[in-house]
Amino acid sequence: MELLFQFLSNTGYYLADYRQIIMIVVGTVFVYLGTAKEYEPLLLVPIGFGILVGNVPFFKGFGLGIYESNSVLHYLYFGVTTGLYPSIVFLGLGAMTDFSSLLARPILMLLGAAAQMGIFFTLLGALALGFLPKEAASIAIIGGADGPTSIFLTAKLAPHLIGPIAIAAYSYMALIPVIQPPIMRLLTTRKERIIHMPELREVSKKEKVVFPAVGVLLCCFLAPASIPLLGTFFFGNFLKECGVADRLAQTARTAIIDTATIFLGFTVGASTQGDVFLTAKSIGIFFLGAVAFSIATASGVIFAKIMNLFLKDKINPLLGAAGVSAVPGSAREVHLVGQSEDPTNYLLMHAMACNSSGVIGSAICAGILWSFMIVL
Amino acid sequence: MYGLEAISAHNGWAMALAGALIVFSGLVVLWAVISQLHKILKIWDKKQPLLPEDLDPDIEDEPEDAPLISLPKELPSDINEVAKLYKPLIDEIGDTFYLSSLYAIAKKNEFPHPHITLSAFRECEIMIPHGDGVFSWNQPEENEKG
């Protein structure tokens, strides 16, 4: 009988805490949104299920929890805390990315730079709210709207915030259709939204082969701390474009990125244990994340309008919203908003150019912030 | 410490300003370089070939670079008929493909306004999206039979 009571006192039913119940509800909502509503299912399903697993109450000391040094989950989490998974995701992302539209219209790269302003505004906001500099930098990078980059920088600067920052970054990426269109409409007139972009010129194979080599050298010389992200990103793209390593490129953009995404999402979800996740800091991070993402979107749109003051061939300012690096969600949203005004307006390829530039821009920002924090 | 005092104490203004300037200047330099890239490569081409195919000037005349089909002067108004014209391109790239691949091959074969046509294919569910720019071809004849 004593054995039975002892067993029962070690079950999740007995050990359950209200914070874990709250997180299980949050996880269930993520899984529901991912499966039933198909909101970013490749992200929300692993994260949501990870939240469920990470919040099952357990007896501390058995080596079960993600924060216990000898647990299986802890070993899987190693890829997050070292920045390994984000780096692998960037390899696959590079092998998926087609830079043709960016090479055909390089000026769109400036919109990717402008959209990074959200990061630096949020850095100030986070410092003002009392976060320490390393925490503030990790929160600010949410403005880049890039999950792996946010996780990478947070793992390096403020590992105790990985859970809330990752959840905030991925949540806002899934909420792109809700957050971005009102900002785009607010900051543009109908006349601007119906601006048609010219067809893109044909880009030669040689340009596409040379670009990753030029890109990695220029970006990583400027911000060497972004090598773990941009090094693999441009390497993946070179595999795709060089034409002699198709098998490697194919593996990088399918099996490798999928494996890394599964473990990244699952372990980040599992890291949101109620007792460490439900804090006042997490609420502050969610608030600042929304601010960062909104400012990033607005910065891109406003900068496109400023560019139009000087350009002969006007740019559709909606494209500025695709300067955040949420690929391809924000590009798709720009295209849809453009089409809602004029169904013959086809902005997707141009928006993808801004999106690609945003990926590069946010990785450079991560490198810059990391470098700044090293000297602090 | 909170507010402006905290920003100043942690050197926030300098970090934000310097960070924004660095990322902007980095991407401006990259823009400047890639906007001249095709011109540089043209000059380079005149001097020496870069890729193996450049060694053989006849390669451009090979049948695989020739258009896959001959097109009518105007595309038919029926989207299913247009889809039939695109079928040889689908056979070339496979039933599951990247949107960018279909767009590129359509442009190469001089199909008029491929972006509008591809958009119409999506709306008519002739192209089924699978996420991340991957689509599969849903042959219109099969739809009608189904």
Side-chain angles (χ1 to χ4, degrees):
Chain A
M1 203 59 179
E2 192 183 333
L3 186 69
L4 183 64
F5 279 126
Q6 196 182 355
F7 173 78
L8 287 175
S9 66
N10 286 341
T11 62
Y13 299 107
Y14 183 83
L15 296 168
D17 179 278
Y18 75 96
R19 291 170 295 190
Q20 288 161 330
I21 304 297
I22 293 172
M23 289 312 297
I24 286 172
V25 171
V26 172
T28 310
V29 171
F30 272 46
V31 172
Y32 171 76
L33 290 176
T35 49
K37 300 286 180 186
E38 294 190 27
Y39 285 169
E40 300 287 346
L42 302 183
L43 301 174
L44 291 190
V45 170
I47 291 176
F49 210 88
I51 294 174
L52 296 183
V53 172
N55 283 283
V56 172
F58 60 87
F59 190 79
K60 297 260 168 42
F62 270 20
L64 297 171
I66 199 161
Y67 296 112
E68 292 185 301
S69 59
N70 53 345
S71 73
V72 173
L73 280 177
H74 185 77
Y75 287 117
L76 292 176
Y77 194 49
F78 179 78
V80 174
T81 52
T82 54
L84 184 65
Y85 294 149
S87 191
I88 296 174
V89 168
F90 262 67
L91 175 75
L93 203 57
M96 280 181 181
T97 306
D98 184 352
F99 283 111
S100 302
S101 47
L102 186 62
L103 290 166
R105 200 77 201 270
I107 199 163
L108 295 176
M109 181 162 265
L110 299 183
L111 298 180
Q116 307 311 319
M117 296 308 113
I119 292 175
F120 297 103
F121 277 111
T122 311
L123 176 70
L124 298 176
L127 287 173
L129 285 181
F131 284 95
L132 296 172
K134 287 183 179 179
E135 293 175 335
S138 304
I139 295 165
I141 202 73
I142 299 174
D146 194 329
T149 305
S150 304
I151 292 169
F152 177 81
L153 188 65
T154 311
K156 298 296 174 193
L157 297 180
H160 57 289
L161 295 181
I162 282 182
I165 285 178
I167 298 294
Y170 281 120
S171 302
Y172 293 127
M173 283 168 71
L175 288 173
I176 283 172
V178 180
I179 298 173
Q180 285 203 312
I183 298 171
M184 287 189 243
R185 291 201 177 93
L186 184 72
L187 296 174
T188 54
T189 62
R190 186 174 186 277
K191 197 178 161 192
E192 288 171 327
R193 291 196 290 272
I194 60 171
I195 293 175
H196 280 235
M197 297 298 290
E199 275 207 39
L200 296 166
R201 75 171 170 86
E202 189 94 23
V203 174
S204 72
K205 182 77 185 162
K206 280 172 204 161
E207 279 178 82
K208 290 199 261 184
V209 172
V210 171
F211 175 69
V214 172
V216 76
L217 292 177
L218 286 178
C219 297
C220 294
F221 266 66
L222 181 72
S226 59
I227 290 172
L229 298 174
L230 288 179
T232 53
F233 180 68
F234 283 118
F235 172 55
N237 190 251
F238 188 77
L239 288 177
K240 173 180 179 282
E241 300 297 354
C242 69
V244 291
D246 284 346
R247 234 178 65 196
L248 301 185
Q250 177 68 14
T251 310
R253 67 171 161 257
T254 52
I256 288 181
I257 193 171
D258 288 349
T259 308
T261 305
I262 288 169
F263 288 124
L264 179 70
F266 182 73
T267 51
V268 161
S271 72
T272 62
Q273 285 180 5
D275 48 346
V276 291
F277 187 83
L278 290 177
T279 61
K281 270 191 175 172
S282 298
I283 295 165
I285 288 168
F286 271 83
F287 167 71
L288 286 165
V291 172
F293 195 49
S294 304
I295 294 176
T297 304
S299 309
V301 175
I302 292 169
F303 191 76
K305 287 165 75 101
I306 294 170
M307 280 170 73
N308 278 345
L309 298 175
F310 304 98
L311 289 175
K312 197 175 155 195
D313 296 325
K314 305 292 182 203
I315 291 173
N316 189 319
L318 292 177
L319 292 173
V324 297
S325 71
V327 182
S330 55
R332 193 169 50 211
E333 214 47 51
V334 165
H335 177 68
L336 291 175
V337 173
Q339 285 220 315
S340 69
E341 297 289 346
D342 176 1
T344 64
N345 200 1
Y346 193 87
L347 297 172
L348 188 61
M349 299 302 272
H350 293 84
M352 282 303 290
C354 303
N355 240 184
S356 319
S357 166
V359 174
I360 298 170
S362 62
I364 293 177
C365 285
I368 292 168
L369 288 172
W370 190 14
S371 308
F372 284 168
M373 298 304 150
I374 288 170
V375 296
L376 279 180
Chain B
M1 206 186 309
Y2 296 94
L4 297 179
E5 191 190 357
I7 296 174
S8 301
H10 295 303
N11 216 8
W13 300 113
M15 279 196 290
L17 188 65
L21 284 175
I22 293 170
V23 70
F24 221 92
S25 60
L27 289 178
V28 165
V29 170
L30 191 56
W31 160 61
V33 172
I34 64 171
S35 62
Q36 302 305 314
L37 197 57
H38 62 289
K39 292 177 190 165
I40 296 166
L41 287 173
K42 266 184 196 165
I43 296 167
W44 178 264
D45 272 350
K46 284 177 189 165
K47 289 188 175 172
Q48 79 180 86
L50 182 65
L51 294 176
E53 66 239 37
D54 297 323
L55 294 169
D56 182 6
D58 294 335
I59 198 133
E60 281 179 15
D61 301 329
E62 282 184 3
E64 61 188 35
D65 277 341
L68 291 167
I69 54 166
S70 59
L71 289 169
K73 279 184 182 173
E74 281 187 18
L75 288 182
S77 54
D78 181 359
I79 191 71
N80 289 341
E81 292 300 316
V82 181
K84 282 179 192 167
L85 290 174
Y86 268 73
K87 190 68 175 80
L89 306 186
I90 301 299
D91 293 340
E92 180 77 9
I93 60 174
D95 278 347
T96 303
F97 50 86
Y98 281 97
L99 182 64
S100 55
S101 307
L102 181 56
Y103 181 81
I105 197 170
K107 276 202 83 172
K108 192 171 115 185
N109 284 276
E110 295 169 359
F111 275 73
H113 309 297
H115 52 278
I116 296 172
T117 312
L118 298 188
S119 185
F121 283 161
R122 281 192 65 175
E123 284 165 16
C124 300
E125 296 183 347
I126 292 170
M127 276 170 32
I128 308 292
H130 295 291
D132 295 327
V134 178
F135 287 80
S136 64
W137 188 253
N138 187 19
Q139 190 60 20
E141 292 92 334
E142 288 166 13
N143 287 344
E144 285 161 19
K145 282 174 198 166

